[in-house]
Amino acid sequence: MEMSSKLLENAVAEISQLPGIGKRTALRLALHLLKQPTEHTQHLAEALKKMREEIKFCKQCHNISDTDVCELCANPLRDKTLICVVEDVRDVMAIENTGLFRGLYHVLGGKISPIDGIGPSQLTINALVEKVKQGAIKELIFALSSTMEGDTTNFYIYKQIKDCNIITSTIARGIAVGDELEFADEVTLGRSIIQRVPFENSLKSS
Amino acid sequence: MEMSSKLLENAVAEISQLPGIGKRTALRLALHLLKQPTEHTQHLAEALKKMREEIKFCKQCHNISDTDVCELCANPLRDKTLICVVEDVRDVMAIENTGLFRGLYHVLGGKISPIDGIGPSQLTINALVEKVKQGAIKELIFALSSTMEGDTTNFYIYKQIKDCNIITSTIARGIAVGDELEFADEVTLGRSIIQRVPFENSLKSS
């Protein structure tokens, strides 16, 4: 696509490097910005730059944070002996939104995935194992997605900490609340029967 | 969605103001930028800011341009007596890509659309009528989309210039090259029969 302006061409090239945004969408976004007041674009550009340059990762849980230690880790009301291991920041937000977890998190930053060239050393697994070996943690909850990579990562971590006298658990897999059985996949339905829970437990909703 | 960082929250809020991008996509884009080197985000922010602050609209045709008069209008080889009226910059790019038009353009900046609050005064219609009245233009080609708004805009312009001794034309509507008749809609197929062209003309491909 030939454009009448190098400035526009440059902006479109930069926008289309974002995941899931092609040349056409990038052009649409750029033309939208041109129709808006200049301040809109300035605010957007400032926010992006400021975020990238000033954001920190929490020293303890590797969650995104504005400070050296994130709000969650700094909160004295949270249970520091219970750690939920998650893949990335979005999982922390999702679990926080439930309002049902009062422990802390450990953000791995991804899953072990040799195909994508991600090995254990690119993740924060060593820091987690170190934390467990210090002995203050009682339980580790694995909350990775149940894919091949997720299972591999769970098992890799489990192997390194299994002698540490610590409880390990994974989040429950089963039929989603409100879903109908006939539309559930066999693996999930099968697992939900094998790993059934006492009826009394299901009465506790929180 | 509660986020652990105000910087991230701010960036996500700014990104999600773009058309077609919701909170979730905005978060995905922001986290993508955080995984990339800082320079990526700096280049993106710079490109956006520079584009918005420095881009100009051509004084003559209102096309996007880096200079006061765009490359097309400044080109002495283009036919200045033939003007193609289009809706926005993307249409100029599309027609330029065909390589078959050697005249100039006039970018309206939209269509008359009372529902969206766009009247003739928000568009560059007055400048176009002014240009026509100066008498240097021989033919005006309407290349707006054939919607109610496009037809209204065409007619609004036509009414103001119909006494100016100037040829007006619209781009041909018909079955797309390579399309099969059985799948064409009735309106298009009907028009393509009423407005049939001499067979000899169809042999000229450019």
Side-chain angles (χ1 to χ4, degrees):
Chain A
M1 214 163 2
E2 200 161 315
M3 295 186 198
S4 55
S5 156
K6 284 269 163 260
L7 291 167
L8 179 66
E9 211 169 299
N10 196 17
V12 168
E14 286 289 341
I15 299 173
S16 62
Q17 282 188 10
L18 293 170
I21 295 187
K23 282 256 173 207
R24 258 168 208 278
T25 309
L27 179 60
R28 192 164 55 80
L29 295 179
L31 292 178
H32 170 84
L33 287 176
L34 285 174
K35 277 192 184 172
Q36 303 290 317
T38 312
E39 297 81 56
H40 278 221
T41 310
Q42 284 166 340
H43 290 164
L44 172 64
E46 263 330 298
L48 291 179
K49 241 172 105 172
K50 223 171 136 74
M51 173 193 76
R52 187 62 190 89
E53 286 167 0
E54 295 180 17
I55 228 166
K56 296 189 176 85
F57 291 90
C58 171
K59 275 182 187 171
Q60 289 177 23
C61 71
H62 303 273
N63 188 10
I64 281 174
S65 168
D66 293 345
T67 46
D68 280 342
V69 172
C70 75
E71 281 175 22
L72 296 171
C73 290
N75 186 343
L77 296 173
R78 312 240 1 168
D79 183 355
K80 290 181 169 44
T81 64
L82 181 62
I83 302 280
C84 183
V85 181
V86 294
E87 220 179 291
D88 76 7
V89 181
R90 273 172 290 189
D91 303 328
V92 175
M93 291 179 202
I95 297 178
E96 277 304 292
N97 273 345
T98 68
L100 291 176
F101 181 65
R102 303 305 301 163
L104 297 182
Y105 296 92
H106 186 93
V107 180
L108 291 178
K111 293 171 290 194
I112 296 175
S113 172
I115 291 176
D116 304 316
I118 301 174
S121 58
Q122 270 110 313
L123 308 175
T124 62
I125 292 180
N126 287 341
L128 175 64
V129 172
E130 211 50 53
K131 233 192 284 184
V132 171
K133 284 189 176 157
Q134 282 167 15
I137 297 165
K138 285 186 190 150
E139 182 174 351
L140 217 57
I141 306 172
F142 292 116
L144 304 187
S145 50
S146 63
T147 57
M148 174 112 93
E149 289 83 10
D151 290 344
T152 307
T153 313
N154 284 343
F155 194 66
Y156 182 87
I157 298 171
Y158 175 73
K159 267 201 317 186
Q160 297 195 47
I161 57 159
K162 69 173 188 287
D163 302 327
C164 285
N165 188 27
I166 181 180
I167 302 168
T168 49
S169 57
T170 69
I171 54 169
R173 309 284 174 185
I175 309 297
V177 178
D179 264 14
E180 301 196 36
L181 292 202
E182 58 174 326
F183 302 123
D185 67 291
E186 291 88 353
V187 179
T188 305
L189 186 54
R191 249 215 235 187
S192 77
I193 290 176
I194 302 289
Q195 297 174 351
R196 61 196 176 278
V197 295
F199 184 66
E200 291 83 12
N201 291 7
S202 73
L203 298 177
K204 306 179 212 158
S205 70
S206 65
Chain B
M1 214 163 5
E2 200 162 314
M3 293 185 200
S4 55
S5 156
K6 282 271 163 259
L7 292 166
L8 179 66
E9 209 168 304
N10 196 16
V12 167
E14 287 288 342
I15 300 174
S16 62
Q17 283 189 8
L18 293 170
I21 295 188
K23 282 256 173 203
R24 256 166 209 279
T25 309
L27 179 60
R28 192 165 53 82
L29 296 178
L31 292 178
H32 169 83
L33 287 176
L34 285 175
K35 277 193 182 171
Q36 303 289 318
T38 312
E39 296 83 54
H40 278 222
T41 310
Q42 284 166 341
H43 290 165
L44 171 64
E46 263 329 297
L48 291 179
K49 239 172 106 174
K50 223 170 136 75
M51 172 193 77
R52 188 62 191 88
E53 287 168 0
E54 295 180 18
I55 229 165
K56 297 189 178 85
F57 290 91
C58 171
K59 276 182 184 171
Q60 290 177 24
C61 71
H62 303 273
N63 188 10
I64 280 174
S65 166
D66 292 346
T67 46
D68 280 342
V69 172
C70 74
E71 281 174 22
L72 297 171
C73 290
N75 186 343
L77 296 174
R78 311 227 22 156
D79 183 356
K80 290 182 170 42
T81 65
L82 181 62
I83 303 280
C84 182
V85 182
V86 293
E87 220 178 290
D88 77 6
V89 182
R90 273 172 289 189
D91 303 327
V92 175
M93 290 179 203
I95 298 178
E96 277 303 292
N97 273 345
T98 69
L100 291 175
F101 180 66
R102 303 306 300 164
L104 297 182
Y105 296 91
H106 186 91
V107 181
L108 291 178
K111 293 171 289 194
I112 296 174
S113 171
I115 291 177
D116 303 316
I118 301 174
S121 57
Q122 271 110 312
L123 308 176
T124 61
I125 292 179
N126 286 342
L128 175 64
V129 172
E130 214 46 58
K131 232 192 283 184
V132 170
K133 283 188 176 157
Q134 282 167 14
I137 296 164
K138 286 185 189 150
E139 182 174 351
L140 217 57
I141 306 172
F142 292 117
L144 304 187
S145 51
S146 64
T147 57
M148 174 111 96
E149 289 83 11
D151 291 345
T152 307
T153 313
N154 284 344
F155 194 66
Y156 182 89
I157 299 172
Y158 175 75
K159 267 201 316 187
Q160 298 196 47
I161 56 159
K162 68 172 189 286
D163 302 327
C164 285
N165 188 27
I166 181 180
I167 302 167
T168 48
S169 57
T170 68
I171 54 169
R173 307 285 174 184
I175 309 296
V177 178
D179 264 13
E180 300 196 35
L181 292 202
E182 58 173 325
F183 301 123
D185 67 293
E186 292 87 353
V187 179
T188 306
L189 185 55
R191 249 217 236 186
S192 78
I193 289 175
I194 303 290
Q195 298 173 350
R196 61 195 175 279
V197 294
F199 183 66
E200 290 83 12
N201 290 7
S202 74
L203 298 176
K204 303 180 212 157
S205 70
S206 65

